[in-house]
Amino acid sequence: MEHLTTALFHIFLIFASAKLLGELFERIRQPAVVGEVLAGLLLGPYLLGIVPHSPVYEGIAEIGVIFLLFTVGLETKPSDILKVGVVASKVGLLGILLPFVLGFGLIAYLGHPTLEALFIGTALVATSVGITARVLGDMGLIQEIESRIILGAAVIDDIIGMILLAVVSSLGEGALSWVRITLVAVEAIAFTLFLGLVGSRVINRYGRWIERIKTPQAPLVFSILICLGLSALSSAIGMAAIIGAFMAGMVLAEFSEEYHLVEKAEAIYAFLVPFFFFVMGSRINVAVIGSAEIIWLALVITVLAVVGKLVGCGIGALSLGRSGALIVGVGMVPRGEVGIIVAMLGLRLHAIPESMYALVIFMSVVTTLAVPPVLRLLFRDRLRSPAAAAIQADRK
């Protein structure tokens, strides 16, 4: 009973502090997500130590980011992504190639082992679409062409990044398994293409049987089942669960309009999503940057991480003009939890030392916190539109 009381109190603190700092940042015209991350940093185990790490809070956080991407998917029809598919592919591919070359090249040039350089390059490839999706959603700009390109490119990022991670992980384990890598690639591509091209048609044709079910809120219950099922399947084949959640939302996007799923999912979103950003902040250990040499290298890696995405993704999106290309480039910059996961895997396999782990953490934190305010600034003219203002009001 005592453990339950403690857990409930911590859940209360997480939610209250995230919402409070989120509101504070909104009032100074900054994205709420920055306040939520800082709430985790302050109350987490590395500063005030009020809220410890716990599988319970981690689990709620993972479900939170799943529903974040699911809600974004509900507002994104497959046809919207297909319309920007060529540009999104360019953005995704160039946004992987350049950061990887820059990260790998720097670490190799400094004389570190090849495997170490491969892991750092892979950490720079990652994009945390959850950060950008939250900001775009809160601003009511998910339907903008730049937003659709970012989301499409993020799916490509995840597939190729997963293949890269499979390669470097195999090397870290001492044996490169091409069979395993090929299987992972085929499963991921088949999963994405099937859902994107066929999934929505299946739902639109057979989804109306849901009206026969007597369960209250049957369409919402059905959509949650699809979300959790595809998230689990996505994770099972080696992709991020959030990609499965996004694809689930996209498959249900047209179905969603008739049953008002976005509006019904907002309450779940409002409760769960702040947990994800709080937990992300609680993982930040400011003490890991311990020496002048590591600080210098961390700054250089962070600059390369930003430049790699800005230039690579920006070149891929040049057809949108300089302003649109800049927005896409900035939107692809956050590394967030994805970069941290790559670094943790490298540390676990003894492929990178703690110093390299520390600089990836630094890079992930800086790119996560810096992007939301910049995105808001770049979109400032469109934020004044009545439609965007109305959506922002509904979010609150």
Side-chain angles (χ1 to χ4, degrees):
M1 190 68 178
E2 183 180 344
H3 292 302
L4 176 60
T5 302
T6 302
L8 287 173
F9 180 64
H10 286 156
I11 288 171
F12 162 75
L13 284 179
I14 292 170
F15 188 68
S17 62
K19 284 296 184 183
L20 182 63
L21 282 182
E23 176 67 19
L24 177 62
F25 272 75
E26 286 280 3
R27 288 181 179 273
I28 60 174
R29 298 185 179 278
Q30 296 300 317
V33 62
V34 178
E36 292 166 0
V37 172
L38 288 178
L41 172 62
L42 291 172
L43 269 64
Y46 299 116
L47 280 184
L48 297 179
I50 297 174
V51 178
H53 289 150
S54 164
V56 175
Y57 317 141
E58 298 276 343
I60 297 174
E62 287 302 314
I63 297 173
V65 74
I66 282 171
F67 273 95
L68 166 60
L69 269 295
F70 176 62
T71 306
V72 170
L74 286 174
E75 300 180 71
T76 310
K77 297 177 183 177
S79 56
D80 293 337
I81 296 294
L82 290 174
K83 286 176 185 175
V84 298
V86 174
V87 178
S89 298
K90 292 178 183 177
V91 169
L93 292 171
L94 291 174
I96 285 171
L97 179 62
L98 190 55
F100 180 82
V101 169
L102 290 174
F104 175 84
L106 175 66
I107 301 302
Y109 173 76
L110 293 175
H112 293 264
T114 300
L115 184 58
E116 201 171 302
L118 284 170
F119 262 99
I120 299 302
T122 303
L124 264 63
V125 161
T127 292
S128 177
V129 68
I131 303 293
T132 301
R134 171 65 187 276
V135 177
L136 295 173
D138 284 354
M139 292 191 297
L141 298 171
I142 284 293
Q143 296 300 327
E144 297 294 310
I145 187 170
E146 294 93 346
S147 303
R148 299 200 305 270
I149 289 171
I150 289 168
L151 292 170
V155 173
I156 294 168
D157 247 25
D158 191 70
I159 293 172
I160 299 178
M162 177 193 61
I163 295 168
L164 268 175
L165 189 56
V167 171
V168 295
S169 297
S170 293
L171 291 171
E173 292 167 355
L176 184 61
S177 172
W178 289 109
V179 173
R180 171 190 165 195
I181 292 164
T182 303
L183 184 62
V184 166
V186 169
E187 285 178 342
I189 293 169
F191 173 79
T192 305
L193 289 178
F194 177 79
L195 289 178
L197 299 175
V198 179
S200 60
R201 297 178 185 177
V202 173
I203 293 294
N204 289 334
R205 176 170 291 186
Y206 300 107
R208 294 187 185 280
W209 66 267
I210 201 73
E211 295 175 355
R212 301 176 187 174
I213 297 178
K214 301 302 181 182
T215 302
Q217 299 289 350
L220 179 61
V221 172
F222 173 68
S223 69
I224 291 173
L225 287 172
I226 295 292
C227 170
L228 295 176
L230 289 181
S231 298
L233 181 58
S234 178
S235 181
I237 64 176
M239 296 178 69
I242 58 174
I243 297 300
F246 172 70
M247 298 300 293
M250 196 168 65
V251 161
L252 292 163
E254 294 181 7
F255 181 82
S256 165
E257 292 180 353
E258 183 174 352
Y259 296 102
H260 308 289
L261 293 181
V262 174
E263 293 85 350
K264 292 175 180 178
E266 286 291 341
I268 303 172
Y269 174 103
F271 173 62
L272 290 175
V273 170
F275 283 88
F276 170 70
F277 294 106
F278 181 99
V279 168
M280 180 183 291
S282 75
R283 292 173 178 167
I284 300 170
N285 184 359
V286 293
V288 295
I289 309 295
S291 67
E293 181 183 357
I294 294 299
I295 292 173
W296 173 83
L297 188 54
L299 289 172
V300 174
I301 283 289
T302 302
V303 170
L304 292 181
V306 173
V307 170
K309 288 291 185 181
L310 278 179
V311 175
C313 298
I315 290 173
L318 275 178
S319 59
L320 302 180
R322 283 186 296 179
S323 175
L326 181 59
I327 288 171
V328 170
V330 170
M332 296 292 288
V333 163
R335 297 327 195 268
E337 81 290 352
V338 185
I340 294 170
I341 288 168
V342 173
M344 287 176 65
L345 180 59
L347 192 63
R348 193 179 305 131
L349 293 173
H350 305 290
I352 62 173
E354 288 193 2
S355 58
M356 290 293 107
Y357 173 75
L359 69 86
V360 173
I361 297 294
F362 180 89
M363 177 272 297
S364 298
V365 170
V366 171
T367 56
T368 295
L369 294 178
V371 164
V374 177
L375 267 182
R376 181 179 282 272
L377 182 65
L378 293 174
F379 271 120
R380 63 187 180 280
D381 292 333
R382 278 177 263 187
L383 284 172
R384 300 190 184 108
S385 72
I391 293 174
Q392 288 182 71
D394 289 341
R395 291 278 187 189
K396 295 176 182 178

